[in-house]
Amino acid sequence: WNFTSRFGQRSPLYDGIASALYSTPTTYFHKPFPMLSQQAYTYHPTCKIPNYPGFQNVPGYEYYAGSVLENALLFAYELAAQNADTSFQGYGPYALCNKDPSELGIQPDEWGFHWLKDHNFHPAVGTDFVSQCSGSFSSEMQSDLYTNGGYVAPHVYAGSVSFYDGYEQVVKSNHRTVGMTPMYPKSNWDQHNLPPMSEGTFFGIPRCDFYERQMSKEAYEFVYSHENCHPCDGFKFNTPFHCETQVRKTAGEIIGLSVSNTLALFGLLVAVGPALIRALKIGEGSEETERAVNENEIRQ
């Protein structure tokens, strides 16, 4: 991403889909419950994806915690909320990053931060993109991908939109719906002479459907691995669903529960006690009456 965009030196992701230059890459969506809903994956507000692993170690982290400068999805959502002319969807400045740049030998700047171009996504080693892409993905590109990573930009929605995908399937989005826009290894771009994008190329690079789907799949898996980000995690915040877990109770909790149970029993006895006593007295009275009748019959 190290080139000058029309807004100056920064990631082109920042320009979002409002710029026609970056509107062509395909966005892939995941429907977690396709048999139940057409809703694409939508993250819970408590889901947080750090800009990059290790971000919590930057100087003055406490000033960024909880803000858009820490959370890649939140930044994209806030910008999407301002894009009324694009149905409230867009990108933030941060691509997903699943490896700490410092561990890869990339040095931070003088303030301890990593540049946007260093927010790379590294797929799991082992997939042969060269053979799967039938020649459109070179061995040099694969080597670059496994060494330096590629890019996957979260495409976030801030409103309700329904549309058809390329297979005539309905996809529904809502607030915080996330799609994945995969991009190609950066070292293969001519950053000073970018050709126009087209349906079959990515800045002149032949596109590969398998590569884009695989990167999107692993990006979703990366997001789902974070706390409160899995599609099923949303259920625990909504009744009537409840989550159960086995925890060890402290002595204070045990005593508190015992006292509560005792008070509950006492309250029950206070509530039904008079009725029980009255029922017992009625029963005793009936027995005495029956006994007196029997004695009277014997005398006769």
Side-chain angles (χ1 to χ4, degrees):
W1 298 110
N2 187 21
F3 65 89
T4 301
S5 72
R6 63 191 178 93
F7 289 101
Q9 182 70 28
R10 72 185 190 198
S11 165
L13 291 177
Y14 196 91
D15 302 339
I17 62 171
S19 171
L21 184 62
Y22 308 109
S23 62
T24 304
T26 302
T27 295
Y28 293 84
F29 296 89
H30 177 219
K31 294 181 181 178
F33 311 104
M35 304 303 294
L36 300 175
S37 172
Q38 297 168 330
Q39 178 70 42
Y41 168 67
T42 302
Y43 71 93
H44 191 267
T46 58
C47 168
K48 181 177 67 175
I49 308 298
N51 289 337
Y52 53 82
F55 184 79
Q56 69 276 9
N57 298 323
V58 301
Y61 167 76
E62 62 274 10
Y63 297 106
Y64 310 108
S67 73
V68 296
L69 296 177
E70 179 199 26
N71 191 339
L73 296 185
L74 179 60
F75 207 148
Y77 174 77
E78 293 294 341
L79 291 179
Q82 303 174 28
N83 287 343
D85 56 336
T86 59
S87 301
F88 298 102
Q89 54 180 309
Y91 300 98
Y94 305 116
L96 293 177
C97 182
N98 62 345
K99 285 192 176 182
D100 186 345
S102 296
E103 296 181 359
L104 300 174
I106 302 175
Q107 298 301 314
D109 61 21
E110 56 185 309
W111 296 283
F113 293 90
H114 285 282
W115 292 95
L116 299 176
K117 61 185 178 65
D118 299 329
H119 293 204
N120 303 318
F121 191 85
H122 294 256
V125 176
T127 303
D128 188 356
F129 292 102
V130 177
S131 61
Q132 292 287 350
C133 292
S134 303
S136 63
F137 203 92
S138 67
S139 56
E140 291 77 15
M141 291 173 65
Q142 180 164 280
S143 177
D144 176 34
L145 175 65
Y146 284 134
T147 302
N148 303 308
Y151 290 105
V152 179
H155 185 162
V156 180
Y157 287 73
S160 298
V161 180
S162 295
F163 51 90
Y164 284 97
D165 64 8
Y167 297 91
E168 299 301 317
Q169 297 292 320
V170 175
V171 178
K172 292 185 177 180
S173 68
N174 208 324
H175 286 271
R176 300 182 181 85
T177 292
V178 180
M180 300 298 176
T181 302
M183 302 186 185
Y184 288 77
K186 57 185 178 181
S187 64
N188 291 273
W189 304 8
D190 182 356
Q191 61 185 12
H192 301 294
N193 186 29
L194 288 175
M197 295 238 317
S198 64
E199 184 176 350
T201 69
F202 183 84
F203 294 118
I205 300 174
R207 294 174 59 180
C208 172
D209 182 72
F210 175 83
Y211 167 79
E212 295 180 3
R213 290 179 180 274
Q214 183 65 22
M215 290 288 282
S216 299
K217 170 183 174 293
E218 294 193 28
Y220 273 116
E221 291 172 344
F222 169 69
V223 170
Y224 295 167
S225 68
H226 289 74
E227 184 179 8
N228 296 336
C229 296
H230 192 277
C232 294
D233 288 341
F235 292 127
K236 66 184 178 182
F237 297 101
N238 297 281
T239 55
F241 300 100
H242 300 281
C243 284
E244 297 180 358
T245 183
Q246 295 182 354
V247 295
R248 185 181 298 277
K249 291 182 173 58
T250 64
E253 290 176 320
I254 295 173
I255 294 173
L257 290 172
S258 299
V259 172
S260 298
N261 292 337
T262 303
L263 291 175
L265 178 60
F266 179 75
L268 177 64
L269 292 175
V270 169
V272 304
L276 284 174
I277 294 173
R278 190 160 46 249
L280 290 173
K281 286 183 176 181
I282 293 175
E284 291 176 356
S286 299
E287 290 178 359
E288 291 178 356
T289 302
E290 184 179 355
R291 193 162 42 247
V293 170
N294 291 337
E295 290 177 355
N296 186 43
E297 290 177 350
I298 292 172
R299 290 193 189 97
Q300 292 176 354

